[in-house]
Amino acid sequence: MTTTFPFHLNARHAVVVGATGGIGSGVCRALLAGGASVALVARDMGSLRQLEQSLDAPQRTFSVGADVTDTYQLAQARDAILDRFGSIDLVVISTGIMVGSPFEEAIPADWVSLIDVNLHGLLYAAQTFSSDLIDAASAGGPSDLILIGSIGSHIQYPNFSVFNAVSAAIAQLSRTLRSEYGRRGLRVHNIEPGFTRTTFGRNLRHEAALQHWRNLEETINPLDPDDLGRIVALTAAMPAGLNIAEMVVIPTEQE
């Protein structure tokens, strides 16, 4: 693969957590195109193998199965990646589920699942790889932690109150981690996509939430996951002294 970016990611060792999702797979393709080696992390090994085969870069890809909500599995994945690549200097966390309903009709167990994956899982993954990113920064090389959040941290979508709240928590986490790690050379970024061409919301069970998603599908040309992947790659490839801290990326038609 050849890069289409003005900067390169050659010799970077990346981890994409949530690699088999729509956005995650787009990120994998873009990082590989930029020249990075990429460890693909997701829960389903079958989907990981299919993705790795489609990427067609066996020397620069490595698949590891891990549930983002399980700290032991994440630690095992980290050890396996270090055995393969030797170091880690770029981590992208692109995991999440969506649930929605009018607040008074919501099922609390759905909130628990959402928070476990979207917030707890992101925290676990970020902490698991944090020491490796700090080590990379301390060695004087580029080091990036990129969180994939959501425009939901800015827009009050009716019927998605808890999803919006968790998205806002991710945004605030990224700001605090920038304050904590920026002077140590580790860049922390939060990229917040709007409506994207994925299956993210098609399993919504409540009719009000599902109808909202269908309305978006009918009225907006969604973002392409590969375009989002290129934004992630370009963010990581910026000069070391420049941090694209937060970026909201939406379809032109989305309000």
Side-chain angles (χ1 to χ4, degrees):
M1 294 183 180
T2 57
T3 180
T4 58
F5 304 110
F7 308 105
H8 66 73
L9 296 170
N10 297 343
R12 298 291 299 270
H13 295 152
V15 178
V16 179
V17 182
T20 56
I23 293 174
S25 59
V27 170
C28 292
R29 286 188 286 271
L31 296 182
L32 285 167
S37 298
V38 183
L40 321 174
V41 180
R43 184 171 55 182
D44 183 2
M45 278 304 302
S47 297
L48 277 172
R49 292 190 184 97
Q50 290 179 6
L51 174 61
E52 186 172 9
Q53 185 174 13
S54 73
L55 294 171
D56 195 25
Q59 300 304 313
R60 292 193 291 123
T61 53
F62 179 57
S63 293
V64 189
D67 185 332
V68 74
T69 67
D70 188 320
T71 56
Y72 177 76
Q73 290 186 28
L74 285 169
Q76 293 291 101
R78 170 187 175 266
D79 291 346
I81 294 165
L82 288 174
D83 284 344
R84 173 66 183 270
F85 291 152
S87 63
I88 297 167
D89 58 33
L90 170 56
V91 175
V92 183
I93 305 176
S94 178
T95 59
I97 61 174
M98 178 178 280
V99 299
S101 68
F103 187 77
E104 73 277 8
E105 299 178 23
I107 300 171
D110 287 344
W111 295 342
V112 171
S113 297
L114 174 72
I115 294 169
D116 276 350
V117 175
N118 295 26
L119 185 56
H120 293 160
L122 180 143
L123 288 167
Y124 298 155
Q127 186 184 52
T128 295
F129 295 102
S130 60
S131 61
D132 304 302
L133 295 173
I134 293 167
D135 287 346
S138 297
S143 184
D144 296 273
L145 172 62
I146 302 178
L147 310 179
I148 305 299
S150 167
I151 193 179
S153 69
H154 301 277
I155 296 178
Q156 291 73 49
Y157 286 125
N159 304 318
F160 293 93
S161 56
V162 178
F163 177 82
N164 293 343
V166 170
S167 299
I170 293 170
Q172 185 64 7
L173 173 68
S174 73
R175 297 176 191 123
T176 307
L177 291 181
R178 273 194 298 278
S179 176
E180 186 168 345
Y181 291 130
R183 291 186 180 274
R184 299 170 69 179
L186 169 56
R187 299 186 295 192
V188 181
H189 321 266
N190 183 31
I191 296 178
E192 300 177 313
F195 184 54
T196 305
R197 185 183 298 114
T198 69
T199 60
F200 196 49
R202 294 181 185 173
N203 295 320
L204 291 166
R205 292 180 292 180
H206 195 285
E207 184 57 34
L210 184 58
Q211 187 57 51
H212 175 83
W213 187 267
R214 288 171 176 164
N215 288 341
L216 289 175
E217 290 184 317
E218 292 170 0
T219 59
I220 294 177
N221 290 316
L223 298 173
D224 187 323
D226 285 343
D227 288 336
L228 282 173
R230 284 186 278 271
I231 288 171
V232 169
L234 184 60
T235 297
M238 298 302 286
L242 191 158
N243 185 358
I244 298 177
E246 300 184 37
M247 184 185 298
V248 177
V249 187
I250 60 172
T252 301
E253 300 150 325
Q254 187 168 9
E255 298 177 357

